Amino acid sequence: MSEPKSPTPTPAGDTYKGWVFKWTNYIKGYQRRWFVLSNGLLSYYRTQAEMGHTCRGTINLATAVISVDDACNFVISNGGAQTYHLKASSEVERQRWITALELAKAKAARMQAESDDSGDDFPPSSLSVGGGQGVGSQNSEVQSTLRTLGSKVEDLSTCNDLISKHGSALQRSLSELDSLRLTGEAGDKIRQVTERATLFRITSNAMINACRDFLALAQTHSKRWQKALQAEREQRVRLEEALEQLAKQHNHLERAFRGAAQAHAIVDNTGATGPRKGEASDEDDDNEFFDAMEEAPEFITVPADPQFHKRSSSNASGLNSDMCADDQSLNEEPLTMNQESPSQELVPLKKRRTRIPDKPNYSLNLWSIMKNCIGKDLSKIPMPVNFNEPISMLQRLSEDLEYHELLDKAAKCHSSLEQMCYVVAFCVSAYSTTVYRTGKPFNPLLGETFELDRQRESGYRSLCEQVSHHPPAAAHHAISDRGWTLRQEITVASKFRGKYLSIMPLGTIHAIFEKSNNHYTWKKVTTTVHNIIVGKLWIDQSGEIDIVNHTTGDRCHLKFAPYSYFSRDVARKVTGVVMDKAGKAHYVLSGTWDEKMEFSRVMQSSRGGENGTEGKQKTVYQTLKARELWKRNPLPEGAESMYYFTALALTLNEPEEGVAPSDSRRRPDQRLMEDGRWDEANSEKQRLEEKQRSVRREREREAAIQRASGLSEEGAPHDSHRALWFESCEDQITGEQVHIYKGGYWETKELGTWEGCPDIF
């Protein structure tokens, strides 16, 4: 009977395991079996190893009867269908099992009795009332706490019953001993034990009565507390919804009031150029309350006086002559291409695809993967394709050319200030494709390329190459036969902060126009992906950048306003002012990065009478009526099931003949994901990444050998990789070390000789 014993939990524990002898038949008698008591079910196995696959039998204790035969034997039966005759290794061990079984039976019976009416106390909607993920998480935590407290109270009630039961049995046993009328020392000992047992019984009865009173009180008020808590939660959600509605109504009323005040100012204007009495609401905005997260605007725009409309049409004196002459197309008619453009429309010579396979609905536990990524660079963490979209970062970079016609128009402008407006619109338009795109592009392999040849349809050719892996950097070069060149090298730094993901593109974008020789540069703003763990993912763009014309000195300070719940402005707002070299404002740009941009010509500027933030005065710009500069194209039909791809994005991964062997279209894991075969895509992704690591280790080994033999220069990099189509040099404008296209790709494509391309797939 001396069998090994497993660690035994307390009787009130949720799980109890151990070896018990079970009666099998008259030939074999009692045989040792491994019993597991969990969640109101008693199961047994021949060995512990069988727990994962073969259960020999199970009894539901909610309807079972537990009886004791003798010192070590006990019987469990569920009414005749199943009966277990069991024997413990000792009386103490048998009592542990009996106590654990009684507790489990009581708990299972209560759960079964309450399962029918539990929905009345906690309706399913209570966990998601209001629709907010944060509220649902808090409700779930409260419900879990209430269930835990209820379970402990039930355990206390069961222990109360067991103490009363066992105390009565002990008292009966002592009374039977006392009736034997033993004499001498034995009789004295029995009387002493009886007295002590009596004291214990009195104390136990007092504790039992106190516990019974507590249980009665707790059970009486438990449901009342739960209903009160639920009512408070629902009331809070209603208040939050009412507050949000009031904020929207307040915003609408303020806008209506300001619009009426401005219209009144124009009607009552007598010709003076200073601010009118009706315009006071614009200047008084500084005295109003703003939420802490909302930043006050740096400038204010008001409609120009009617005299400026007359003077702009007649080109009267008092205004800058260059503005009136060069910017006339911006003032009087919508922005269109100059008449120098070809008279015939270019039509696509190849029919591009308009659909890709629908995104499959695969579930994945995001937190199980992301919890180990907090504070780390996501470019160094292997991620399954479930978080991706079926294009690479090189293809995503090429999507900047979605609205290339803005650069076509800019190339035909005679005025550098007008050209700046188009360049700003192009800069903003690059973010319009990201508003619903919460998927992560594939990290390109080192040496991976992507070409976008739209010369016959749209007049441009684009080439991207992954020139570095750690840190990841991609070089991009696009040239158009309509007079512009675009180049950039972008390094993406990303940090996971627990609730959100910050993506910081590092690098400078260059736009060069052949006709005017104007050279523009700007950088990208920070992208933030919110609700990484709980809630619906959404994307925000925020930051401030300067777009600079290094040839003329013109500049535009562009501000992407971060989202603020209490902001009175429209979401995703972008504002900017186009200034010349002397700092004089010529155009005010405004709009949103996901919809459209508008321009307004500045007729006069002045310092406002009220102080802005940090004691600085705001500039008031009097402008002509705003006109549309750029508007986002609608998404294709069914885009929500195709990763919210735009019409251009749908064609980026379309197979094409003649592309380089290293082109992203040939990447197998990306192709498998697009076809909906995600499990195969994950396996292929791991294979490609391991192949890349092996190649890198080989390069590092060769570099180490060269350094050891003195064949390499001192301070040479540990990785000897060199880009194939781009060369590293110092940028003459910014002074940065960048990769610039060195030529040869399109000539190699015409010849069809790709012997120099690396085998990366």
Side-chain angles (χ1 to χ4, degrees):
M1 302 286 289
S2 59
E3 301 297 341
K5 296 179 181 179
S6 60
T8 305
T10 61
D14 294 331
T15 303
Y16 196 96
K17 303 177 183 178
W19 292 104
V20 180
F21 289 90
K22 178 182 178 296
W23 175 263
T24 56
N25 52 52
Y26 285 100
I27 297 176
K28 294 184 179 181
Y30 283 97
Q31 296 292 322
R32 194 180 70 158
R33 296 290 183 261
W34 180 257
F35 277 80
V36 177
L37 174 58
S38 178
N39 297 325
L41 300 176
L42 179 65
S43 306
Y44 76 94
Y45 311 83
R46 285 185 177 176
T47 63
Q48 290 178 261
E50 283 189 346
M51 289 180 62
H53 52 84
T54 305
C55 178
R56 301 293 175 174
T58 300
I59 280 186
N60 187 347
L61 296 179
T63 58
V65 177
I66 304 170
S67 59
V68 178
D69 280 355
D70 54 26
C72 296
N73 291 23
F74 56 103
V75 180
I76 305 174
S77 174
N78 64 354
Q82 288 177 299
T83 301
Y84 293 168
H85 294 269
L86 306 176
K87 180 190 292 186
S89 58
S90 65
E91 185 176 356
V92 175
E93 186 67 21
R94 185 213 65 178
Q95 190 56 43
R96 287 176 178 171
W97 273 105
I98 291 297
T99 304
L101 290 168
E102 291 283 1
L103 280 171
K105 177 184 176 181
K107 186 178 294 185
R110 281 194 298 269
M111 291 176 62
Q112 185 174 11
E114 295 174 0
S115 61
D116 295 335
D117 60 349
S118 61
D120 298 334
D121 297 331
F122 301 101
S125 61
S126 67
L127 295 181
S128 58
V129 63
Q133 293 289 342
V135 175
S137 175
Q138 295 174 6
N139 290 347
S140 177
E141 182 179 356
V142 171
Q143 297 293 350
S144 176
T145 303
L146 288 174
R147 283 194 296 269
T148 302
L149 291 174
S151 175
K152 298 303 179 184
V153 170
E154 292 166 2
D155 289 344
L156 183 58
S157 176
T158 304
C159 290
N160 183 8
D161 296 337
L162 289 175
I163 288 175
S164 179
K165 176 182 176 181
H166 296 326
S168 299
L170 176 61
Q171 193 65 39
R172 284 195 302 271
S173 298
L174 291 172
S175 298
E176 291 172 0
L177 283 175
D178 190 41
S179 65
L180 295 177
R181 301 184 182 277
L182 297 176
T183 59
E185 185 178 355
D188 294 337
K189 288 292 185 184
I190 290 176
R191 280 192 295 272
Q192 186 179 5
V193 171
T194 303
E195 291 174 358
R196 292 180 179 177
T198 302
L199 291 174
F200 175 75
R201 179 173 59 83
I202 294 172
T203 307
S204 298
N205 286 337
M207 186 194 73
I208 289 170
N209 292 332
C211 289
R212 186 180 295 113
D213 293 341
F214 170 76
L215 287 171
L217 184 64
Q219 290 170 353
T220 301
H221 293 284
S222 176
K223 290 187 177 181
R224 184 183 305 171
W225 292 337
Q226 292 170 3
K227 291 180 179 178
L229 179 62
Q230 178 63 25
E232 289 295 329
R233 272 200 304 268
E234 294 175 352
Q235 178 68 9
R236 187 192 68 179
V237 171
R238 286 194 294 269
L239 288 174
E240 289 177 351
E241 293 175 347
L243 178 62
E244 182 178 5
Q245 188 65 25
L246 286 173
K248 292 179 179 178
Q249 293 176 358
H250 185 246
N251 184 24
H252 177 73
L253 290 173
E254 283 187 337
R255 291 179 180 278
F257 173 75
R258 285 200 296 269
Q262 291 174 0
H264 180 69
I266 294 176
V267 172
D268 293 347
N269 200 299
T270 57
T273 59
R276 293 292 168 223
K277 182 177 180 180
E279 297 173 351
S281 60
D282 292 300
E283 297 180 357
D284 290 342
D285 280 352
D286 291 334
N287 297 326
E288 297 178 4
F289 172 76
F290 286 86
D291 181 74
M293 293 185 297
E294 182 184 6
E295 297 182 10
E298 297 178 354
F299 57 86
I300 300 173
T301 58
V302 297
D305 292 337
Q307 60 175 331
F308 287 117
H309 292 271
K310 297 176 182 178
R311 295 169 78 177
S312 64
S313 60
S314 61
N315 197 15
S317 60
L319 292 178
N320 186 291
S321 58
D322 291 337
M323 285 177 57
C324 296
D326 294 340
D327 302 339
Q328 192 68 22
S329 63
L330 280 172
N331 297 334
E332 305 301 337
E333 56 188 45
L335 293 169
T336 56
M337 291 183 61
N338 292 5
Q339 298 301 320
E340 301 172 8
S341 58
S343 57
Q344 72 276 9
E345 290 290 333
L346 292 176
V347 295
L349 300 180
K350 177 181 178 181
K351 185 175 178 58
R352 307 284 179 181
R353 69 180 184 182
T354 58
R355 287 198 63 85
I356 60 174
D358 289 349
K359 178 182 178 181
N361 186 18
Y362 289 144
S363 61
L364 184 67
N365 186 357
L366 175 63
W367 179 243
S368 64
I369 296 174
M370 301 297 287
K371 64 183 179 182
N372 297 320
C373 305
I374 297 177
K376 297 181 180 179
D377 188 341
L378 291 190
S379 64
K380 299 181 181 180
I381 298 172
M383 302 288 283
V385 300
N386 303 58
F387 301 129
N388 287 32
E389 56 183 14
I391 61 173
S392 74
M393 190 63 196
L394 302 181
Q395 293 166 314
R396 190 73 174 260
L397 204 59
S398 302
E399 281 191 73
D400 286 358
L401 298 170
E402 175 92 23
Y403 298 94
H404 63 89
E405 63 272 8
L406 292 170
L407 295 180
D408 295 342
K409 296 176 182 179
K412 298 184 179 298
C413 291
H414 299 291
S415 165
S416 63
L417 296 168
E418 178 184 343
Q419 190 177 69
M420 173 68 82
C421 293
Y422 285 112
V423 174
V424 171
F426 176 78
C427 168
V428 175
S429 70
Y431 299 99
S432 64
T433 62
T434 67
V435 61
Y436 302 115
R437 300 274 289 280
T438 56
K440 174 182 176 293
F442 278 78
N443 288 335
L445 302 173
L446 187 61
E448 185 175 336
T449 61
F450 177 72
E451 69 162 69
L452 185 62
D453 189 353
R454 295 291 190 269
Q455 189 171 32
R456 303 187 71 178
E457 295 102 320
S458 304
Y460 70 86
R461 280 176 165 179
S462 167
L463 176 66
C464 292
E465 180 179 0
Q466 187 75 1
V467 296
S468 173
H469 188 62
H470 286 307
H476 179 209
H477 181 271
I479 187 169
S480 171
D481 54 16
R482 298 178 185 176
W484 55 265
T485 300
L486 184 77
R487 62 177 174 88
Q488 57 183 320
E489 179 178 344
I490 299 297
T491 300
V492 177
S494 55
K495 289 292 183 181
F496 176 52
R497 303 297 185 183
K499 292 183 179 180
Y500 62 91
L501 171 67
S502 295
I503 302 171
M504 295 80 69
L506 309 175
T508 304
I509 305 172
H510 298 254
I512 303 101
F513 294 94
E514 180 181 346
K515 182 178 179 181
S516 61
N517 201 31
N518 288 332
H519 190 142
Y520 296 84
T521 64
W522 67 92
K523 295 181 180 292
K524 288 182 176 287
V525 297
T526 298
T527 300
T528 306
V529 185
H530 294 271
N531 292 345
I532 290 291
I533 301 302
V534 178
K536 183 178 180 181
L537 293 175
W538 61 279
I539 291 178
D540 193 24
Q541 312 285 353
S542 60
E544 299 184 26
I545 57 175
D546 286 315
I547 303 177
V548 181
N549 184 341
H550 294 273
T551 304
T552 64
D554 300 339
R555 178 182 299 266
C556 177
H557 183 73
L558 204 58
K559 179 177 180 180
F560 290 70
Y563 174 80
S564 172
Y565 181 81
F566 294 101
S567 175
R568 297 178 300 173
D569 287 325
V570 294
R572 310 182 182 99
K573 184 176 182 179
V574 182
T575 55
V577 179
V578 176
M579 299 182 177
D580 58 22
K581 185 177 181 180
K584 181 179 180 180
H586 290 259
Y587 294 100
V588 171
L589 303 175
S590 62
T592 58
W593 53 263
D594 66 322
E595 282 295 336
K596 64 179 180 179
M597 287 295 291
E598 297 178 335
F599 72 95
S600 302
R601 180 180 171 187
V602 176
M603 307 309 297
Q604 185 173 357
S605 63
S606 61
R607 288 290 182 182
E610 299 289 342
N611 289 337
T613 57
E614 300 180 357
K616 297 180 180 178
Q617 288 186 325
K618 293 181 182 179
T619 302
V620 179
Y621 295 116
Q622 295 191 29
T623 62
L624 297 181
K625 182 180 178 181
R627 296 182 181 274
E628 188 174 272
L629 185 62
W630 158 79
K631 185 176 182 180
R632 180 174 67 95
N633 296 328
L635 290 174
E637 183 179 355
E640 62 278 357
S641 62
M642 299 185 294
Y643 309 89
Y644 287 98
F645 279 0
T646 62
L648 174 64
L650 289 173
T651 68
L652 294 180
N653 207 41
E654 185 176 10
E656 289 191 15
E657 296 181 359
V659 298
S662 56
D663 195 273
S664 298
R665 298 176 181 88
R666 300 183 183 274
R667 182 165 174 165
D669 54 347
Q670 190 172 298
R671 181 65 60 192
L672 288 168
M673 183 192 176
E674 181 181 285
D675 293 339
R677 298 152 63 185
W678 284 16
D679 291 337
E680 298 175 60
N682 277 317
S683 301
E684 191 65 20
K685 183 172 182 286
Q686 293 179 5
R687 182 190 70 81
L688 291 175
E689 291 172 349
E690 182 55 38
K691 179 178 181 180
Q692 179 174 239
R693 284 190 285 268
S694 300
V695 173
R696 186 181 72 248
R697 286 193 293 266
E698 181 63 22
R699 285 198 307 269
E700 292 174 349
R701 187 183 66 82
E702 293 177 356
I705 293 174
Q706 291 182 357
R707 287 195 303 273
S709 60
L711 297 178
S712 63
E713 299 179 0
E714 184 177 354
H718 294 276
D719 192 338
S720 58
H721 174 77
R722 292 185 177 224
L724 186 59
W725 308 110
F726 291 78
E727 60 181 355
S728 178
C729 62
E730 181 178 325
D731 190 282
Q732 297 180 355
I733 298 293
T734 64
E736 301 171 345
Q737 196 69 22
V738 296
H739 285 80
I740 296 180
Y741 179 61
K742 63 182 180 181
Y745 178 87
W746 304 107
E747 294 78 6
T748 303
K749 180 182 178 181
E750 290 180 4
L751 296 175
T753 56
W754 300 109
E755 289 80 3
C757 280
D759 177 19
I760 60 175
F761 300 141

